[in-house]
Amino acid sequence: MGKSTKQKILKTLDKAESEDALSKGFDKFIMALILLNVVAVILETVDSIHNDYELAFEYFEIGSVVVFSIEYLIRLWACTALEKYKHPIWGRLKYMVSVEAIIDLLAIVPFYLPFLINHADGRIVRVLRLFRLFRIFKLGRYSLAFGLITTVIKKRREELLVTLTLLIIMLVFASTLMYYIEYEPDKEGFQSIPETMWWGVATLTTVGYGDVYPVTALGKLLGAVIAILGVGLFALPAGIIAGGFESELSSRKKKDRKEE
């Protein structure tokens, strides 16, 4: 098959951006299959449901892996139609380490690994089965919402990185101060700075689990200040992302109007 055929196949497999009925149908099928896999992973943890429908879950898993494996192999074969992956060997190797290809691989590898690992421990198998949840990230290739989230995070990554750095500095500073204020040899929760960071996270996020809390007057004062600062600090990423969404949606609407 030639380059043009591979391009058509990739166009069908990727998110539909036109009125291509086949591509749209494939998108809906894959998205439905991914969501059903997530539901299956959740339902399998209910013993009564798992015991009654164990065989059905196994057949569904096998069918899903077959579909995802074929999709992965087709993408690996056809990727050379793209300029950046045009080399038949190095191009495919480059594609295999791309983010999308790694996500696709993680969606199917947990199924095959128990067969490759002789006498695999039951706990390892359970962890591998949990990795099936990575299939939900495949939605990013087909879902407009996932694509929009990815675009916004990429465009606002510098602002988000600054905010994250500020949060880490505040967490370290608050946890260190609280450790020196509240530390006592027999007092749980403040035995070290890393241990105190659990209190710092719960306070900065204003969750306040209540399992660890200061008892001294100075410690309570510091806790109150950190909680107030946490409200403002954790509002920053939300504001940045919300602004990014508004900007991206506005630019897309303008683009659509120009195309019309």
Side-chain angles (χ1 to χ4, degrees):
M1 293 186 183
K3 183 177 179 180
S4 60
T5 304
K6 290 182 178 180
Q7 288 174 337
K8 289 179 182 178
I9 292 172
L10 287 176
K11 187 177 180 181
T12 301
L13 294 179
D14 287 333
K15 183 172 64 178
E17 297 180 353
S18 62
E19 296 302 319
D20 188 340
L22 181 60
S23 182
K24 283 189 173 182
F26 180 79
D27 290 355
K28 291 177 181 178
F29 168 72
I30 289 292
M31 289 175 70
L33 186 60
I34 293 169
L35 292 175
L36 286 173
N37 269 266
V38 174
V39 172
V41 171
I42 295 169
L43 293 179
E44 278 186 338
T45 60
V46 182
D47 290 337
S48 58
I49 297 176
H50 179 263
N51 293 335
D52 292 341
Y53 301 98
E54 184 176 1
L55 195 60
F57 281 123
E58 288 184 7
Y59 284 143
F60 178 69
E61 172 67 6
I62 292 170
S64 300
V65 169
V66 168
V67 172
F68 292 139
S69 299
I70 292 173
E71 180 201 6
Y72 177 78
L73 292 174
I74 290 175
R75 287 183 182 277
L76 184 61
W77 167 75
C79 70
T80 53
L82 302 175
E83 185 62 29
K84 57 183 177 179
Y85 304 126
K86 64 180 181 179
H87 194 280
I89 298 175
W90 304 117
R92 288 190 171 94
L93 290 174
K94 185 179 178 182
Y95 171 77
M96 289 176 70
V97 296
S98 65
V99 175
E100 291 183 344
I102 291 173
I103 290 173
D104 288 343
L105 191 61
L106 287 173
I108 58 177
V109 164
F111 177 83
Y112 296 110
L113 280 180
F115 298 103
L116 300 176
I117 304 173
N118 293 327
H119 308 294
D121 186 87
R123 289 170 296 180
I124 296 175
V125 173
R126 288 188 67 182
V127 171
L128 291 174
R129 290 178 69 83
L130 183 62
F131 270 86
R132 290 181 297 165
L133 282 175
F134 273 101
R135 291 172 189 172
I136 198 170
F137 292 109
K138 286 171 64 66
L139 284 174
R141 181 179 278 141
Y142 308 101
S143 171
L144 177 63
F146 271 72
L148 185 60
I149 291 170
T150 304
T151 302
V152 169
I153 291 175
K154 283 182 179 179
K155 289 186 176 181
R156 299 301 177 101
R157 62 181 178 275
E158 291 182 1
E159 295 96 322
L160 291 171
L161 185 60
V162 170
T163 305
L164 178 62
T165 303
L166 184 60
L167 286 171
I168 292 173
I169 291 172
M170 180 59 69
L171 174 62
V172 173
F173 180 74
S175 300
T176 303
L177 276 180
M178 187 59 75
Y179 164 72
Y180 284 110
I181 292 171
E182 292 291 323
Y183 171 74
E184 290 180 10
D186 58 345
K187 189 175 184 179
E188 294 183 2
F190 299 100
Q191 292 299 303
S192 65
I193 292 176
E195 190 175 344
T196 308
M197 283 183 178
W198 169 247
W199 166 86
V201 171
T203 305
L204 280 171
T205 56
T206 67
V207 173
Y209 288 109
D211 56 339
V212 180
Y213 52 87
V215 295
T216 65
L218 187 57
K220 289 179 179 179
L221 176 62
L222 176 62
V225 172
I226 296 303
I228 293 170
L229 290 175
V231 173
L233 283 175
F234 271 84
L236 287 175
I240 292 169
I241 293 174
F245 269 109
E246 184 180 358
S247 176
E248 187 65 21
L249 288 171
S250 178
S251 63
R252 290 191 180 191
K253 286 179 181 179
K254 289 179 181 179
K255 184 180 178 181
D256 291 339
R257 287 172 186 170
K258 288 181 180 180
E259 290 177 353
E260 290 176 357

